[in-house]
């Protein structure tokens, strides 16, 4: 099915709309920026780390990754940063930047890492025209089979910079109480400096029209999306991979059995254009399910149906009490590394913790007491291939007077729909076969104990089993963290943290363990 003339190379029309929309909104946006209230918060973080295995020796060697051997090291980190926030009547912006400088005493090395997380939203025409923008620079473990570093300090050779940004102008229109519509355009780019990795540029058009309050018993909706992903290598002389197109058109009916319980059905067609190793890429689709909201603090959604890759399911459960937050979600979709990076690679990071604790009594104070900002998470590893993502995740957060607990678990599988040859130059054909189908299963238990209003201790236990399903190989990754955090003044905090990291693997030369102690001082100005 073709709508809006969307086919290969036809996004130039949408690109023109994007430029025109941004130019029209620029004058209003500049005015809003100048009228906003701005807060600039400089900071400085200084830390010293001792580790007995700075390179996580024992990792697999390939193309310069892994195979370094173990070694002790003292690492000094001096990291100035700034947080800039601005908020106006119809404008909101946040920028968080850190310049991470690392000095290695024994290896006589000096490294600089940039970390950026910025987002902005502006209401250009009240209630009608909006623009959202995001940009980020981060580091991550590039490949599953390399040594898995917990932070920037470890010299595994498996860390890579990831750059991503997106801009999204959109228009909303309400047609009295009959319906509401939205037309959105999203341009996003994800890149890295890895040779033979295909940087991606995606353009997405989304159109939706949904019934309003006039349709109380039987609601309806019409939704259309078209995504075009252009893939080109970091080195221009290597060329580019085939363009991917993902298009979906659906209609929805919602029947209100009661004010709290709705039956929902969808049907439509998806037309996808990519070379698949698993059969057809386009077909009709349908789902049936329900939405149940028994209380203001509880919501349950579930559905099942059929898509071109087979049976498909989705579910989400959200429940809150005075001192607890319960979450469960399951999704299935066709995706790429770039799309997952734009959506956010980690399933429970510091940002997610903020969301979990924001609804709890004393949650904000807890976040200021030095909770770990990283967990044992599934790795959105670098690949040029298109894959079917299946992701199940659940968490329970409990906040008491002195004790807080986070329990979480996940199952994260990726099934490649593209040929191994697309990753052959990136990681070698053997490793491409190894990572054709992967499953990452694990979880965390985090316990935080408040010793006093300004002092807390925490323990974080994490585990991930990585299964390489095509070749029946496994890695078991375990992490133990223990830390003590102290707020000395309103502007100065300090912490000391110990961690033990261990991997047991039935792959050759892939097991390792490491210990580290880090003392940190944070100063806000």
């Amino acid at each position: 099915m073709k709508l809006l003339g969307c086919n290969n190379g036809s996004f130039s029309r949408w690109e023109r709309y994007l430029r025109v929309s941004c130019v029209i909104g620029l004058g209003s946006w500049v005015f809003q920026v100048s009228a906003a209230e701005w807060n600039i918060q400089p900071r400085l973080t200084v830390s010293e780390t001792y580790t007995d295995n700075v390179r996580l020796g024992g990792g697999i060697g390939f193309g310069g990754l892994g195979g370094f051997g173990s070694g002790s090291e003292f690492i000094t980190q001096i990291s100035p940063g700034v947080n800039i926030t601005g908020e106006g009547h119809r404008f909101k912006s946040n920028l968080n930047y850190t310049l991470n400088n690392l000095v290695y005493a024994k290896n006589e090395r000096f490294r600089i890492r940039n970390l950026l997380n910025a987002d902005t939203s502006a209401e250009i025409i009240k209630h009608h025209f909006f623009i959202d923008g995001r940009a980020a620079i981060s580091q991550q473990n590039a490949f599953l089979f390399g040594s898995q570093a917990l932070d920037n300090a470890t010299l595994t050779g498996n860390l890579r910079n990831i750059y991503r940004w997106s801009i999204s102008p959109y228009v909303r229109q309400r047609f009295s109480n009959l319906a509401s519509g939205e037309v959105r355009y999203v341009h996003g780019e994800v890149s890295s400096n890895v040779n033979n990795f295909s940087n991606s540029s995606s353009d997405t058009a989304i159109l939706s029209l949904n019934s309003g309050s006039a349709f109380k018993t039987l609601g309806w909706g019409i939704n259309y999306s078209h995504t075009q992903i252009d893939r080109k290598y970091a080195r221009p002389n290597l060329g580019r991979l085939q363009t991917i197109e993902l298009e979906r058109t659906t209609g929805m009916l919602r029947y209100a059995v009661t004010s709290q319980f709705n039956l929902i059905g969808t049907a439509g067609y998806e037309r996808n254009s990519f070379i698949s190793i698993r059969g057809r890429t386009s077909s009709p689709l349908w789902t049936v399910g329900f939405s149940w909201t028994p209380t203001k603090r509880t919501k349950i959604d579930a559905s099942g149906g059929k898509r071109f890759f087979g049976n498909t399911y989705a579910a989400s459960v959200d429940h809150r009490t005075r001192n607890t937050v319960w979450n469960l979600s399951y999704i299935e979709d066709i995706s790429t590394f770039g799309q997952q990076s734009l959506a956010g690679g980690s399933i429970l990071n510091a940002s997610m913790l903020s969301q979990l604790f924001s609804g709890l009594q004393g949650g904000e104070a807890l976040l200021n007491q030095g909770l770990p900002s990283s967990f044992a998470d599934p790795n959105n590893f670098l690949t040029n291939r298109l894959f079917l993502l299946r992701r199940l995740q659940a968490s329970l957060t409990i906040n008491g007077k002195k004790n807080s607990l986070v329990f979480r678990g996940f199952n994260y599988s990726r099934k490649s729909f593209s040929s191994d040859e697309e990753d052959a130059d990136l990681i070698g054909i053997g490793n491409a076969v190894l990572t054709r189908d992967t499953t990452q299963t694990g979880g965390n238990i985090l316990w935080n104990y408040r010793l006093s209003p300004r002092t807390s201790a925490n323990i974080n236990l994490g585990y991930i089993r990585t299964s390489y399903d095509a070749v029946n190989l496994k890695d078991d990754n375990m992490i133990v963290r223990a830390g003590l955090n102290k707020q000395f003044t309103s502007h100065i905090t300090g912490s000391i943290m110990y961690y033990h990291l261990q991997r047991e693997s039935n792959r050759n030369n892939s097991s390792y363990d490491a210990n580290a102690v880090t003392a940190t001082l944070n100063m806000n100005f």
Side-chain angles (χ1 to χ4, degrees), residues 335-355:
S335 190
T336 66
F337 171 84
Q339 287 178 296
Q340 288 302 298
S341 293
L342 288 171
S346 173
I347 68 170
L348 187 60
N349 51 26
S351 175
M352 181 66 78
L353 267 185
S354 299
Q355 296 177 33

Side-chain angles (χ1 to χ4, degrees), residues 8 48 65 99 118 143 192 238 274-275 304 317 339 344 394 426 444 446 497 504 506:
N8 284 333
E48 186 69 27
L65 293 185
L99 181 65
F143 307 106
S192 183
L238 295 178
F274 59 88
I275 299 175
V317 178
Q339 287 178 296
L426 176 66
N444 286 91
L446 169 63
M497 186 269 291
E504 297 292 338
N506 59 1

Side-chain angles (χ1 to χ4, degrees), residues 142-383:
F143 307 106
L144 279 181
F145 42 82
S147 300
Q148 302 295 294
L150 294 177
D151 52 36
N152 285 341
T154 311
L155 294 172
T156 64
N158 195 24
L159 282 176
R160 293 294 185 271
N161 293 320
I162 305 298
Y163 309 90
R164 54 191 184 272
W165 68 273
S166 65
I167 186 168
S168 175
Y170 57 102
V171 176
R172 288 176 175 168
Q173 178 63 51
R174 185 178 298 276
F175 303 97
S176 185
N177 65 341
L178 297 176
S180 60
E182 180 176 299
V183 178
R184 180 185 288 266
Y185 176 91
V186 184
H187 178 81
E189 296 191 14
V190 177
S191 62
S192 183
N193 57 352
V194 180
N195 289 336
N196 298 308
F197 172 68
S198 178
N199 299 331
S200 67
S201 172
S202 63
D203 295 279
T204 301
I206 304 171
L207 294 83
S208 63
L209 183 66
N210 294 282
S211 60
S213 58
F215 298 85
K216 294 182 179 180
T217 302
L218 187 63
W220 53 268
I222 301 172
N223 297 276
Y224 170 81
S225 66
H226 182 283
T227 298
Q228 180 173 301
I229 305 171
D230 293 315
R231 302 176 295 166
K232 55 184 179 181
Y233 292 110
R235 291 168 54 190
N237 62 303
L238 295 178
R240 63 177 63 208
L241 293 168
Q242 182 197 38
T243 296
I244 294 171
E245 281 191 275
L246 307 172
E247 183 181 65
R248 191 184 310 178
T249 306
T250 58
M252 179 273 294
L253 288 177
R254 178 191 299 265
Y255 178 69
V257 180
T258 69
S259 60
Q260 298 173 327
F261 187 82
N262 293 269
L263 296 175
I264 303 170
T266 66
Y269 190 86
E270 57 183 323
R271 181 196 65 84
N272 302 313
S273 176
F274 59 88
I275 299 175
S276 172
I277 61 172
R278 302 186 188 271
R280 62 182 180 176
T281 63
S282 302
S283 76
L285 66 91
W286 61 268
T287 64
V288 292
F290 68 88
S291 178
W292 183 33
T293 311
T295 70
K296 292 182 178 180
R297 292 175 171 264
T298 306
K299 191 175 190 306
I300 302 172
D301 296 284
S303 66
K306 202 88 169 179
R307 291 183 60 186
F308 73 92
F309 52 76
N311 295 333
T312 184
Y313 304 94
S316 68
V317 178
D318 294 288
H319 176 65
R320 288 177 179 264
T321 67
R322 181 179 177 85
N323 293 310
T324 67
V325 179
W326 306 69
N327 295 106
L328 181 145
S329 67
Y330 178 77
I331 63 168
E332 297 179 343
D333 207 356
I334 292 292
S335 190
T336 66
F337 171 84
Q339 287 178 296
Q340 288 302 298
S341 293
L342 288 171
S346 173
I347 68 170
L348 187 60
N349 51 26
S351 175
M352 181 66 78
L353 267 185
S354 299
Q355 296 177 33
L356 290 177
F357 283 116
S358 62
L360 296 176
Q361 184 180 23
E364 187 63 32
L366 178 62
L367 288 170
N368 293 330
Q369 290 190 350
L371 284 177
S373 60
S374 62
F375 290 78
D377 284 317
N379 184 351
N380 179 34
F381 56 90
L382 269 65
T383 177

Side-chain angles (χ1 to χ4, degrees), residues 47 139 166 194 213 236 300 330 388-389 402 411 425 452 474 521:
S47 70
Q139 291 77 46
S166 65
V194 180
S213 58
I300 302 172
Y330 178 77
L388 172 62
L389 169 68
K402 285 187 173 292
N411 183 273
D425 292 335
S452 72
K474 293 180 176 64
L521 190 66

